[in-house]
Amino acid sequence: MVTKNAQGAEKNKKRSMKSSQLMELFEEQLKDIYWAEKALIKALPKMAKKASDEDLINALEEHLAETEEHQSRLEQVFKLIGKKATAKKCEAMSGLIEEGEEIMKDTEDGPMRDAGIIAAAQKVEHYEIATYGTLRQFAETLGLKDVEKILATTLKEEKAADEKLSKVATTAINVDAAEEKA
Ligand code: ZN
Ligand code: FE
Ligand code: FE
């Protein structure tokens, strides 16, 4: 006969197996975004250099400074979970950065290239928003309060960066339209 206690123990065992698998998944995603942030620290200055619109250049440079913060926040997270900060190549981010490079190569200096840079940068931000959203949720489920807070801060900045790019896009397009009318 299975006693109530034995059933409880079985349930607990299943639960801790699940949470250790979630922890593994969490670590994998963490390594992935750590690679991505490092790659972006190299890619963002190149995008800023190729951009023409001053607001766009500012947005990219400001987000570069934030991205450096994101990298060190991830290092804090690794520390909090007792793991060495490790980067694992993120194929998705690598592809998105490559796409951005292609756009810059295929367009002439000016509003068209700027529009392409914004498109590429927003795809990057959306990938980051998805990843940090997931990581934050995992941290909550795993009961990692401090980690969750750190990830939520970065998530907020990624969302703000995306919104800022949208704003720059709207302004740039409006300016263009006005010029066309004149
Ligand atoms: Zn970031
Ligand atoms: Fe990835
Ligand atoms: Fe970002």
Side-chain angles (χ1 to χ4, degrees):
M1 196 184 89
V2 182
T3 63
K4 246 191 183 157
N5 267 352
Q7 274 179 349
E10 195 53 35
K11 236 183 212 170
N12 277 340
K13 208 170 119 197
K14 269 190 192 152
R15 197 176 292 148
S16 75
M17 257 168 61
K18 270 188 199 154
S19 79
S20 78
Q21 277 173 26
L22 187 61
M23 191 64 200
E24 257 174 54
L25 204 53
F26 178 81
E27 263 182 69
E28 280 307 303
Q29 295 285 313
L30 208 59
K31 289 175 185 171
D32 179 280
I33 197 71
Y34 187 54
W35 187 96
E37 297 286 19
K38 279 156 112 44
L40 285 169
I41 290 170
K42 288 187 202 143
L44 283 168
K46 289 185 203 164
M47 292 163 98
K49 216 173 150 193
K50 294 268 185 179
S52 304
D53 184 84
E54 213 157 302
D55 290 337
L56 177 56
I57 296 170
N58 282 338
L60 293 169
E61 282 174 351
E62 269 171 40
H63 196 53
L64 170 64
E66 284 175 343
T67 301
E68 283 164 356
E69 282 289 311
H70 299 170
Q71 184 192 346
S72 52
R73 277 190 206 128
L74 288 172
E75 285 159 5
Q76 265 176 269
V77 170
F78 277 111
K79 212 173 180 181
L80 281 168
I81 63 166
K83 299 280 171 180
K84 194 173 148 255
T86 317
K88 193 179 157 207
K89 187 176 181 189
C90 169
E91 295 294 347
M93 185 57 79
S94 169
L96 290 174
I97 290 172
E98 216 171 284
E99 266 188 34
E101 280 168 359
E102 236 157 80
I103 290 172
M104 293 192 285
K105 218 170 55 196
D106 294 346
T107 48
E108 274 173 43
D109 222 36
M112 270 302 137
R113 179 180 288 161
D114 283 357
I117 289 173
I118 292 170
Q122 286 196 286
K123 286 185 190 182
V124 165
E125 294 317 315
H126 282 231
Y127 182 83
E128 288 185 297
I129 290 165
T131 304
Y132 280 107
T134 302
L135 280 171
R136 194 209 60 77
Q137 183 57 56
F138 283 1
E140 190 188 305
T141 306
L142 290 163
L144 305 167
K145 282 241 166 70
D146 293 345
V147 170
E148 189 202 337
K149 230 187 230 165
I150 293 170
L151 295 169
T153 306
T154 297
L155 177 60
K156 222 171 156 189
E157 287 177 3
E158 305 291 19
K159 283 182 180 167
D162 178 52
E163 275 159 28
K164 202 181 209 175
L165 287 166
S166 285
K167 214 177 252 171
V168 173
T170 318
T171 320
I173 289 164
N174 284 348
V175 170
D176 263 6
E179 271 169 6
E180 241 164 79
K181 263 186 218 157

